[in-house]
Amino acid sequence: MASPAVRDQDNHNDAENSSIGYCGKVMNKVVEFPRKLKKFGQDDPRRIVHSLKVGLAVLLVSLLYYFQPFYNGLGDTAMWAILTVVVVFEFSVGATLGRGLNRILATFLAGALGFGVHHLANLSGDIAHPILIGIFVFLLAASVTFIRFFPRMKARYDYGLLIFILTFCLISVSGYRDEEILEMAHKRASTILIGAFIAVFVCVFICPVWAGEDLHNSVAKNIEKLGSFLEGFGDEYFKVVGSGESNMAHLQGYFSVLNSKQSEETQANFARWEPRHGRFRYRHPWRYYLKIGNLTRQCAYRIDTLSGYLNSEVQTLLNIQNNQVQELCMKMSSESGKALKELAWALKTMTEPCSAASSHITKSRAAANNLKSMLRTNAAAVAGVGGDQVRLLDIVPAVTVASLLSEIVAYAEPIEKSIQKLASLQHVQFKSAERKKPTALTSCKTSSSNVGPHHVITMDRLASLQVQESNKEIGSKFQRIRSAV
Amino acid sequence: MASPAVRDQDNHNDAENSSIGYCGKVMNKVVEFPRKLKKFGQDDPRRIVHSLKVGLAVLLVSLLYYFQPFYNGLGDTAMWAILTVVVVFEFSVGATLGRGLNRILATFLAGALGFGVHHLANLSGDIAHPILIGIFVFLLAASVTFIRFFPRMKARYDYGLLIFILTFCLISVSGYRDEEILEMAHKRASTILIGAFIAVFVCVFICPVWAGEDLHNSVAKNIEKLGSFLEGFGDEYFKVVGSGESNMAHLQGYFSVLNSKQSEETQANFARWEPRHGRFRYRHPWRYYLKIGNLTRQCAYRIDTLSGYLNSEVQTLLNIQNNQVQELCMKMSSESGKALKELAWALKTMTEPCSAASSHITKSRAAANNLKSMLRTNAAAVAGVGGDQVRLLDIVPAVTVASLLSEIVAYAEPIEKSIQKLASLQHVQFKSAERKKPTALTSCKTSSSNVGPHHVITMDRLASLQVQESNKEIGSKFQRIRSAV
């Protein structure tokens, strides 16, 4: 009895933990802790660098206390500088800049508004003063809190809105005289500026981590993961039982793509705060990466469905194993896998996708077309056992896998198009493939002139399409199949 | 030419905006703003309540400034109370409690440690003092920042660790004498306690929003959304062209399920801070909801794949439209949809799932078995056109849809099992279905004794399974089909 397996990393741990006592568990954790710590640092060494950077920034801001001229001028308000550094310093430049700017702007605006309200309340007399202040504080806190719920505001200005409420309340409520407030505001603004400057300085000039670059790389990496799955799928699905080691672990790389939406959106929001860096100009269209990411995820959902057929007990049926269906499915899978990998490489290196990717896409579509032609010709062709009547049940898994594969193959082209669109957008600098790969480009041009306009064809849509077999290879294969039948 | 459509909400807006000028856009936004605001509030009125609650909490804490005994005792440190309220007050009780406890604990621990380090440095003489403090600050800030990267720590103690660094630096760096620090620490601790108390009090006792309840409801709602899709899918896919209005909008409710992982995890983390409330005891197994959520999402990926076949130009093929394949597919879809809806209802109302859900699951599996039997019998049965040879290409979409449907049908049972498991866990109080629905239960018992142990069957796994047709209904249908062939 087979039932859908839940991917769950906890089960393993639960089973492991139940066999040992509580003391043993604690001992295990203590012993394993340094090892885990080391591995965690090695997984992404930028974490260690970031930690050291935070230490350095806090150390720098602490020096303000020991640097007498500063301390004499600022006094106890110097603590706002420490507070700012600790709160503003984030992993990526974009996040740090975003928080820093939010904090500075919100403090200035709320400070000015708070001062105005405080002044107004002072004019209104001793009895009305607390009432007026109370009404203002309540209204402002409530309305700004409501604004924080708006997705767009939450994405970019959440921290600023929080600081806005905070500063407004602190200043308008405080019982100081106007002159005292002005002096306090001046000191506080200076220290916050100093703190934010130190945080941003250390973040940007010592091994900076750019959210934009992370987003760029992770979108490319996700496409590559799907490519790796597709390259490996054919071999894994059609492998003769016992013919080799299972490659399942390699095929699970795409899992992380399924839930990548939120991290991509966060990174895109951070990236918009970042200045020009490396290959990315200011106003690089970061939002566009989310569209590519969406397409990648839709493709990943189909791949997840397809992977369900890998776990089935009978992966292939003997009577279709020796025929061309297997060959064509493997070709569809591996060619679209290669195409996705080429596209991922093109995106990652910011080279216009052409030649190799297009030719792989063409080949995978050709294989899909061939398979379609074969299915159109005759039912018996699939069975490959001469004149025997084919039992539909026997071919259901193969037909489903082929149909899903052709759905997935159809995703390679929109992904290619979206990368081409990205390359053509304003503020984007993609290297031209011409300069890089003159020979590859020639082959690309030839192949695209051979195949005519691209057809994105999925098997479920074929019945309504008059497909022109413009590729000679397809034609000859088609003839061979017809004559075989 | 058909290509996979990217689900993209921005396209519509882009097209709309391009036709009007900049001034028009601004005017539009200004005019639409109050409408949007109103709609946004109506979508979830708890947002308005929360905003008013924040206003109230800030107002309450501001009164401290006007309440002379307090102000005389605390002086300027009263601002820490305002700061605490603004920073700690979150939407849900769990988040507020989590932040409040993190803040209080971290302040106490870091305060004690900072005081110790400050005292130690004072003993070491004037020259060594800043060096020692500098080393400690650097090491602590760097190591705690590194710990913040650990997923488990990040999920629950991120804010506490941040406050830990902050407080430690503020206290150890400050140039005060020991007695001054103790007095400051005392005042600061009191104000933070007061602030946290006010925030938690308002959050818990005025229209509380429980993260745990939200998680519970959203997991149930997600299952219901999948159920709604499946209930509507059959009609939409097999509808005769022009027979009725398209119901596509209703079928898109499942989109939000695809990307629900992160919000569920966040809610589960918040929920663990919450005390007993409503139907949920303390130590309710919130992590278990994530398992149900994982299953639901896996099912949603398959549904997303299936929905790709809804958009195809030729949804059904005439030669299979009049036969039983359509009927069985519609039954599989609608019965599993009803089962999921029943399960969602059971989870939502915390009633043990039984009777209705089980019987729908049984029916959907029976339909899957029937379809399988039909496919096993003969290829021509699918064509339903007598003795004509069936062209494989024509039945590919139908076969794929049937195969995907049976994959999806197979998910209903693990989801049912996981809800049953949840109901049986410690600290969980599910109502027994017996007391609620005596008649339904009887029918449930009867049906489960009729069908024997549940078989989760997907078509790709069928070839290896000796399926016992234990349901009489299945048997009779099977006979009918055989005789029809």
Side-chain angles (χ1 to χ4, degrees), chain A residues 293-321:
Chain A
N294 273 345
L295 264 177
T296 313
R297 265 188 302 283
Q298 282 180 45
C299 187
Y301 300 151
R302 276 134 192 87
I303 282 181
D304 193 51
T305 309
L306 183 65
S307 77
Y309 292 83
L310 270 180
N311 303 321
S312 55
E313 289 85 350
V314 179
Q315 289 166 349
T316 47
L317 294 149
L318 284 175
N319 60 344
I320 67 153
Q321 225 171 26

PDB file of all heavy atoms in Angstrom, chain A residues 293-321:
ATOM      1  N   GLY A 293      11.068  34.337 -10.929  1.00  0.00           N
ATOM      2  CA  GLY A 293      10.916  33.421  -9.794  1.00  0.00           C
ATOM      3  C   GLY A 293       9.551  32.745  -9.793  1.00  0.00           C
ATOM      4  O   GLY A 293       9.447  31.550  -9.521  1.00  0.00           O
ATOM      5  N   ASN A 294       8.498  33.498 -10.140  1.00  0.00           N
ATOM      6  CA  ASN A 294       7.152  32.924 -10.201  1.00  0.00           C
ATOM      7  C   ASN A 294       7.077  31.802 -11.223  1.00  0.00           C
ATOM      8  O   ASN A 294       6.512  30.741 -10.967  1.00  0.00           O
ATOM      9  CB  ASN A 294       6.133  34.004 -10.578  1.00  0.00           C
ATOM     10  CG  ASN A 294       5.633  34.751  -9.361  1.00  0.00           C
ATOM     11  OD1 ASN A 294       5.821  34.305  -8.238  1.00  0.00           O
ATOM     12  ND2 ASN A 294       5.015  35.892  -9.579  1.00  0.00           N
ATOM     13  N   LEU A 295       7.635  32.078 -12.411  1.00  0.00           N
ATOM     14  CA  LEU A 295       7.649  31.065 -13.468  1.00  0.00           C
ATOM     15  C   LEU A 295       8.406  29.826 -12.997  1.00  0.00           C
ATOM     16  O   LEU A 295       7.962  28.692 -13.216  1.00  0.00           O
ATOM     17  CB  LEU A 295       8.351  31.619 -14.700  1.00  0.00           C
ATOM     18  CG  LEU A 295       7.496  32.211 -15.795  1.00  0.00           C
ATOM     19  CD1 LEU A 295       8.380  32.770 -16.885  1.00  0.00           C
ATOM     20  CD2 LEU A 295       6.583  31.139 -16.386  1.00  0.00           C
ATOM     21  N   THR A 296       9.555  30.059 -12.358  1.00  0.00           N
ATOM     22  CA  THR A 296      10.373  28.939 -11.881  1.00  0.00           C
ATOM     23  C   THR A 296       9.590  28.102 -10.880  1.00  0.00           C
ATOM     24  O   THR A 296       9.615  26.875 -10.922  1.00  0.00           O
ATOM     25  CB  THR A 296      11.652  29.479 -11.218  1.00  0.00           C
ATOM     26  OG1 THR A 296      12.230  30.460 -12.064  1.00  0.00           O
ATOM     27  CG2 THR A 296      12.653  28.372 -10.974  1.00  0.00           C
ATOM     28  N   ARG A 297       8.881  28.786  -9.995  1.00  0.00           N
ATOM     29  CA  ARG A 297       8.113  28.035  -8.997  1.00  0.00           C
ATOM     30  C   ARG A 297       6.973  27.247  -9.627  1.00  0.00           C
ATOM     31  O   ARG A 297       6.729  26.098  -9.273  1.00  0.00           O
ATOM     32  CB  ARG A 297       7.559  28.977  -7.922  1.00  0.00           C
ATOM     33  CG  ARG A 297       8.438  29.062  -6.692  1.00  0.00           C
ATOM     34  CD  ARG A 297       7.765  29.847  -5.599  1.00  0.00           C
ATOM     35  NE  ARG A 297       7.445  31.190  -6.071  1.00  0.00           N
ATOM     36  CZ  ARG A 297       8.337  32.162  -6.187  1.00  0.00           C
ATOM     37  NH1 ARG A 297       9.587  31.946  -5.871  1.00  0.00           N
ATOM     38  NH2 ARG A 297       7.999  33.349  -6.621  1.00  0.00           N
ATOM     39  N   GLN A 298       6.285  27.855 -10.613  1.00  0.00           N
ATOM     40  CA  GLN A 298       5.213  27.102 -11.282  1.00  0.00           C
ATOM     41  C   GLN A 298       5.773  25.846 -11.925  1.00  0.00           C
ATOM     42  O   GLN A 298       5.163  24.777 -11.894  1.00  0.00           O
ATOM     43  CB  GLN A 298       4.529  27.976 -12.328  1.00  0.00           C
ATOM     44  CG  GLN A 298       3.555  28.974 -11.717  1.00  0.00           C
ATOM     45  CD  GLN A 298       2.897  29.840 -12.773  1.00  0.00           C
ATOM     46  OE1 GLN A 298       2.456  29.343 -13.798  1.00  0.00           O
ATOM     47  NE2 GLN A 298       2.845  31.131 -12.539  1.00  0.00           N
ATOM     48  N   CYS A 299       6.945  25.982 -12.532  1.00  0.00           N
ATOM     49  CA  CYS A 299       7.606  24.820 -13.131  1.00  0.00           C
ATOM     50  C   CYS A 299       7.968  23.816 -12.029  1.00  0.00           C
ATOM     51  O   CYS A 299       7.823  22.607 -12.211  1.00  0.00           O
ATOM     52  CB  CYS A 299       8.846  25.299 -13.881  1.00  0.00           C
ATOM     53  SG  CYS A 299       9.660  24.030 -14.838  1.00  0.00           S
ATOM     54  N   ALA A 300       8.414  24.326 -10.875  1.00  0.00           N
ATOM     55  CA  ALA A 300       8.799  23.438  -9.761  1.00  0.00           C
ATOM     56  C   ALA A 300       7.597  22.651  -9.240  1.00  0.00           C
ATOM     57  O   ALA A 300       7.733  21.488  -8.858  1.00  0.00           O
ATOM     58  CB  ALA A 300       9.425  24.246  -8.638  1.00  0.00           C
ATOM     59  N   TYR A 301       6.399  23.266  -9.235  1.00  0.00           N
ATOM     60  CA  TYR A 301       5.212  22.539  -8.781  1.00  0.00           C
ATOM     61  C   TYR A 301       4.961  21.334  -9.698  1.00  0.00           C
ATOM     62  O   TYR A 301       4.624  20.251  -9.246  1.00  0.00           O
ATOM     63  CB  TYR A 301       3.969  23.440  -8.788  1.00  0.00           C
ATOM     64  CG  TYR A 301       4.070  24.661  -7.901  1.00  0.00           C
ATOM     65  CD1 TYR A 301       3.387  25.828  -8.212  1.00  0.00           C
ATOM     66  CD2 TYR A 301       4.848  24.647  -6.745  1.00  0.00           C
ATOM     67  CE1 TYR A 301       3.478  26.953  -7.398  1.00  0.00           C
ATOM     68  CE2 TYR A 301       4.945  25.764  -5.936  1.00  0.00           C
ATOM     69  CZ  TYR A 301       4.259  26.917  -6.266  1.00  0.00           C
ATOM     70  OH  TYR A 301       4.347  28.024  -5.469  1.00  0.00           O
ATOM     71  N   ARG A 302       5.135  21.560 -11.003  1.00  0.00           N
ATOM     72  CA  ARG A 302       4.932  20.460 -11.944  1.00  0.00           C
ATOM     73  C   ARG A 302       6.006  19.391 -11.765  1.00  0.00           C
ATOM     74  O   ARG A 302       5.736  18.196 -11.891  1.00  0.00           O
ATOM     75  CB  ARG A 302       4.921  21.012 -13.372  1.00  0.00           C
ATOM     76  CG  ARG A 302       3.537  21.537 -13.767  1.00  0.00           C
ATOM     77  CD  ARG A 302       3.553  22.885 -14.454  1.00  0.00           C
ATOM     78  NE  ARG A 302       2.205  23.445 -14.540  1.00  0.00           N
ATOM     79  CZ  ARG A 302       1.649  24.193 -13.563  1.00  0.00           C
ATOM     80  NH1 ARG A 302       2.316  24.444 -12.451  1.00  0.00           N
ATOM     81  NH2 ARG A 302       0.423  24.668 -13.701  1.00  0.00           N
ATOM     82  N   ILE A 303       7.210  19.840 -11.457  1.00  0.00           N
ATOM     83  CA  ILE A 303       8.292  18.882 -11.232  1.00  0.00           C
ATOM     84  C   ILE A 303       8.021  18.083  -9.960  1.00  0.00           C
ATOM     85  O   ILE A 303       8.290  16.880  -9.897  1.00  0.00           O
ATOM     86  CB  ILE A 303       9.647  19.627 -11.165  1.00  0.00           C
ATOM     87  CG1 ILE A 303      10.078  19.964 -12.592  1.00  0.00           C
ATOM     88  CG2 ILE A 303      10.703  18.803 -10.450  1.00  0.00           C
ATOM     89  CD1 ILE A 303      11.403  20.668 -12.697  1.00  0.00           C
ATOM     90  N   ASP A 304       7.438  18.727  -8.957  1.00  0.00           N
ATOM     91  CA  ASP A 304       7.095  18.011  -7.734  1.00  0.00           C
ATOM     92  C   ASP A 304       6.043  16.941  -8.035  1.00  0.00           C
ATOM     93  O   ASP A 304       6.108  15.827  -7.526  1.00  0.00           O
ATOM     94  CB  ASP A 304       6.572  18.988  -6.676  1.00  0.00           C
ATOM     95  CG  ASP A 304       6.511  18.353  -5.301  1.00  0.00           C
ATOM     96  OD1 ASP A 304       7.528  17.772  -4.877  1.00  0.00           O
ATOM     97  OD2 ASP A 304       5.446  18.407  -4.661  1.00  0.00           O
ATOM     98  N   THR A 305       5.071  17.296  -8.875  1.00  0.00           N
ATOM     99  CA  THR A 305       4.063  16.315  -9.280  1.00  0.00           C
ATOM    100  C   THR A 305       4.723  15.164 -10.016  1.00  0.00           C
ATOM    101  O   THR A 305       4.453  13.994  -9.751  1.00  0.00           O
ATOM    102  CB  THR A 305       3.019  16.980 -10.187  1.00  0.00           C
ATOM    103  OG1 THR A 305       2.543  18.160  -9.567  1.00  0.00           O
ATOM    104  CG2 THR A 305       1.867  16.044 -10.467  1.00  0.00           C
ATOM    105  N   LEU A 306       5.614  15.518 -10.944  1.00  0.00           N
ATOM    106  CA  LEU A 306       6.316  14.502 -11.733  1.00  0.00           C
ATOM    107  C   LEU A 306       7.118  13.589 -10.820  1.00  0.00           C
ATOM    108  O   LEU A 306       7.154  12.367 -11.024  1.00  0.00           O
ATOM    109  CB  LEU A 306       7.243  15.213 -12.725  1.00  0.00           C
ATOM    110  CG  LEU A 306       8.013  14.349 -13.705  1.00  0.00           C
ATOM    111  CD1 LEU A 306       7.052  13.649 -14.658  1.00  0.00           C
ATOM    112  CD2 LEU A 306       9.008  15.194 -14.499  1.00  0.00           C
ATOM    113  N   SER A 307       7.742  14.168  -9.797  1.00  0.00           N
ATOM    114  CA  SER A 307       8.592  13.364  -8.929  1.00  0.00           C
ATOM    115  C   SER A 307       7.787  12.327  -8.165  1.00  0.00           C
ATOM    116  O   SER A 307       8.339  11.334  -7.708  1.00  0.00           O
ATOM    117  CB  SER A 307       9.363  14.253  -7.958  1.00  0.00           C
ATOM    118  OG  SER A 307       8.499  14.674  -6.924  1.00  0.00           O
ATOM    119  N   GLY A 308       6.469  12.573  -8.016  1.00  0.00           N
ATOM    120  CA  GLY A 308       5.610  11.585  -7.375  1.00  0.00           C
ATOM    121  C   GLY A 308       5.637  10.263  -8.118  1.00  0.00           C
ATOM    122  O   GLY A 308       5.465   9.202  -7.524  1.00  0.00           O
ATOM    123  N   TYR A 309       5.872  10.333  -9.432  1.00  0.00           N
ATOM    124  CA  TYR A 309       5.883   9.107 -10.246  1.00  0.00           C
ATOM    125  C   TYR A 309       7.205   8.366 -10.126  1.00  0.00           C
ATOM    126  O   TYR A 309       7.309   7.225 -10.534  1.00  0.00           O
ATOM    127  CB  TYR A 309       5.560   9.440 -11.699  1.00  0.00           C
ATOM    128  CG  TYR A 309       4.128   9.887 -11.861  1.00  0.00           C
ATOM    129  CD1 TYR A 309       3.744  11.193 -11.608  1.00  0.00           C
ATOM    130  CD2 TYR A 309       3.142   8.963 -12.192  1.00  0.00           C
ATOM    131  CE1 TYR A 309       2.431  11.588 -11.698  1.00  0.00           C
ATOM    132  CE2 TYR A 309       1.818   9.346 -12.284  1.00  0.00           C
ATOM    133  CZ  TYR A 309       1.469  10.668 -12.036  1.00  0.00           C
ATOM    134  OH  TYR A 309       0.163  11.039 -12.110  1.00  0.00           O
ATOM    135  N   LEU A 310       8.216   9.044  -9.573  1.00  0.00           N
ATOM    136  CA  LEU A 310       9.503   8.376  -9.342  1.00  0.00           C
ATOM    137  C   LEU A 310       9.393   7.363  -8.222  1.00  0.00           C
ATOM    138  O   LEU A 310      10.072   6.353  -8.208  1.00  0.00           O
ATOM    139  CB  LEU A 310      10.557   9.405  -8.938  1.00  0.00           C
ATOM    140  CG  LEU A 310      11.368  10.049 -10.034  1.00  0.00           C
ATOM    141  CD1 LEU A 310      12.339  11.037  -9.420  1.00  0.00           C
ATOM    142  CD2 LEU A 310      12.119   9.009 -10.835  1.00  0.00           C
ATOM    143  N   ASN A 311       8.517   7.675  -7.253  1.00  0.00           N
ATOM    144  CA  ASN A 311       8.431   6.834  -6.072  1.00  0.00           C
ATOM    145  C   ASN A 311       7.499   5.642  -6.265  1.00  0.00           C
ATOM    146  O   ASN A 311       7.370   4.825  -5.383  1.00  0.00           O
ATOM    147  CB  ASN A 311       7.926   7.668  -4.887  1.00  0.00           C
ATOM    148  CG  ASN A 311       8.820   8.854  -4.635  1.00  0.00           C
ATOM    149  OD1 ASN A 311      10.038   8.750  -4.747  1.00  0.00           O
ATOM    150  ND2 ASN A 311       8.230   9.996  -4.331  1.00  0.00           N
ATOM    151  N   SER A 312       6.826   5.604  -7.396  1.00  0.00           N
ATOM    152  CA  SER A 312       5.872   4.519  -7.594  1.00  0.00           C
ATOM    153  C   SER A 312       6.632   3.207  -7.760  1.00  0.00           C
ATOM    154  O   SER A 312       7.755   3.175  -8.241  1.00  0.00           O
ATOM    155  CB  SER A 312       5.003   4.800  -8.813  1.00  0.00           C
ATOM    156  OG  SER A 312       5.820   5.014  -9.930  1.00  0.00           O
ATOM    157  N   GLU A 313       5.972   2.134  -7.320  1.00  0.00           N
ATOM    158  CA  GLU A 313       6.648   0.842  -7.294  1.00  0.00           C
ATOM    159  C   GLU A 313       7.065   0.383  -8.694  1.00  0.00           C
ATOM    160  O   GLU A 313       8.145  -0.121  -8.903  1.00  0.00           O
ATOM    161  CB  GLU A 313       5.743  -0.228  -6.676  1.00  0.00           C
ATOM    162  CG  GLU A 313       5.537  -0.068  -5.176  1.00  0.00           C
ATOM    163  CD  GLU A 313       4.424   0.887  -4.869  1.00  0.00           C
ATOM    164  OE1 GLU A 313       3.941   1.561  -5.792  1.00  0.00           O
ATOM    165  OE2 GLU A 313       4.033   0.969  -3.688  1.00  0.00           O
ATOM    166  N   VAL A 314       6.163   0.544  -9.630  1.00  0.00           N
ATOM    167  CA  VAL A 314       6.498   0.127 -10.982  1.00  0.00           C
ATOM    168  C   VAL A 314       6.737   1.382 -11.803  1.00  0.00           C
ATOM    169  O   VAL A 314       5.820   2.078 -12.196  1.00  0.00           O
ATOM    170  CB  VAL A 314       5.370  -0.694 -11.612  1.00  0.00           C
ATOM    171  CG1 VAL A 314       5.747  -1.075 -13.033  1.00  0.00           C
ATOM    172  CG2 VAL A 314       5.120  -1.923 -10.796  1.00  0.00           C
ATOM    173  N   GLN A 315       7.979   1.670 -11.998  1.00  0.00           N
ATOM    174  CA  GLN A 315       8.281   2.931 -12.644  1.00  0.00           C
ATOM    175  C   GLN A 315       8.078   2.852 -14.145  1.00  0.00           C
ATOM    176  O   GLN A 315       7.647   3.794 -14.779  1.00  0.00           O
ATOM    177  CB  GLN A 315       9.708   3.341 -12.310  1.00  0.00           C
ATOM    178  CG  GLN A 315       9.803   3.755 -10.853  1.00  0.00           C
ATOM    179  CD  GLN A 315      11.227   3.833 -10.393  1.00  0.00           C
ATOM    180  OE1 GLN A 315      12.118   3.383 -11.094  1.00  0.00           O
ATOM    181  NE2 GLN A 315      11.422   4.395  -9.233  1.00  0.00           N
ATOM    182  N   THR A 316       8.435   1.750 -14.698  1.00  0.00           N
ATOM    183  CA  THR A 316       8.208   1.602 -16.125  1.00  0.00           C
ATOM    184  C   THR A 316       7.562   0.252 -16.363  1.00  0.00           C
ATOM    185  O   THR A 316       7.655  -0.651 -15.544  1.00  0.00           O
ATOM    186  CB  THR A 316       9.518   1.643 -16.907  1.00  0.00           C
ATOM    187  OG1 THR A 316      10.436   0.777 -16.253  1.00  0.00           O
ATOM    188  CG2 THR A 316      10.071   3.043 -16.963  1.00  0.00           C
ATOM    189  N   LEU A 317       6.945   0.130 -17.462  1.00  0.00           N
ATOM    190  CA  LEU A 317       6.282  -1.127 -17.783  1.00  0.00           C
ATOM    191  C   LEU A 317       7.071  -1.786 -18.894  1.00  0.00           C
ATOM    192  O   LEU A 317       7.508  -1.145 -19.843  1.00  0.00           O
ATOM    193  CB  LEU A 317       4.849  -0.840 -18.198  1.00  0.00           C
ATOM    194  CG  LEU A 317       4.087  -0.287 -16.994  1.00  0.00           C
ATOM    195  CD1 LEU A 317       3.021   0.665 -17.421  1.00  0.00           C
ATOM    196  CD2 LEU A 317       3.548  -1.423 -16.178  1.00  0.00           C
ATOM    197  N   LEU A 318       7.236  -3.088 -18.713  1.00  0.00           N
ATOM    198  CA  LEU A 318       8.155  -3.785 -19.610  1.00  0.00           C
ATOM    199  C   LEU A 318       7.826  -3.573 -21.075  1.00  0.00           C
ATOM    200  O   LEU A 318       8.699  -3.395 -21.902  1.00  0.00           O
ATOM    201  CB  LEU A 318       8.149  -5.280 -19.277  1.00  0.00           C
ATOM    202  CG  LEU A 318       8.939  -5.613 -18.002  1.00  0.00           C
ATOM    203  CD1 LEU A 318       8.795  -7.074 -17.661  1.00  0.00           C
ATOM    204  CD2 LEU A 318      10.395  -5.221 -18.164  1.00  0.00           C
ATOM    205  N   ASN A 319       6.514  -3.558 -21.354  1.00  0.00           N
ATOM    206  CA  ASN A 319       6.162  -3.509 -22.772  1.00  0.00           C
ATOM    207  C   ASN A 319       6.367  -2.148 -23.417  1.00  0.00           C
ATOM    208  O   ASN A 319       6.154  -1.994 -24.607  1.00  0.00           O
ATOM    209  CB  ASN A 319       4.720  -3.989 -22.989  1.00  0.00           C
ATOM    210  CG  ASN A 319       3.751  -3.105 -22.236  1.00  0.00           C
ATOM    211  OD1 ASN A 319       4.154  -2.348 -21.351  1.00  0.00           O
ATOM    212  ND2 ASN A 319       2.492  -3.198 -22.603  1.00  0.00           N
ATOM    213  N   ILE A 320       6.718  -1.145 -22.625  1.00  0.00           N
ATOM    214  CA  ILE A 320       7.051   0.100 -23.317  1.00  0.00           C
ATOM    215  C   ILE A 320       8.525   0.456 -23.130  1.00  0.00           C
ATOM    216  O   ILE A 320       8.973   1.502 -23.548  1.00  0.00           O
ATOM    217  CB  ILE A 320       6.187   1.298 -22.863  1.00  0.00           C
ATOM    218  CG1 ILE A 320       6.494   1.653 -21.406  1.00  0.00           C
ATOM    219  CG2 ILE A 320       4.720   1.066 -23.093  1.00  0.00           C
ATOM    220  CD1 ILE A 320       6.230   3.099 -21.113  1.00  0.00           C
ATOM    221  N   GLN A 321       9.243  -0.487 -22.516  1.00  0.00           N
ATOM    222  CA  GLN A 321      10.598  -0.103 -22.164  1.00  0.00           C
ATOM    223  C   GLN A 321      11.547  -0.116 -23.359  1.00  0.00           C
ATOM    224  O   GLN A 321      12.531   0.619 -23.371  1.00  0.00           O
ATOM    225  CB  GLN A 321      11.124  -1.044 -21.090  1.00  0.00           C
ATOM    226  CG  GLN A 321      11.815  -0.264 -19.996  1.00  0.00           C
ATOM    227  CD  GLN A 321      12.146  -1.146 -18.825  1.00  0.00           C
ATOM    228  OE1 GLN A 321      12.310  -2.352 -18.973  1.00  0.00           O
ATOM    229  NE2 GLN A 321      12.249  -0.553 -17.669  1.00  0.00           N
TER     230      GLN A 321
END
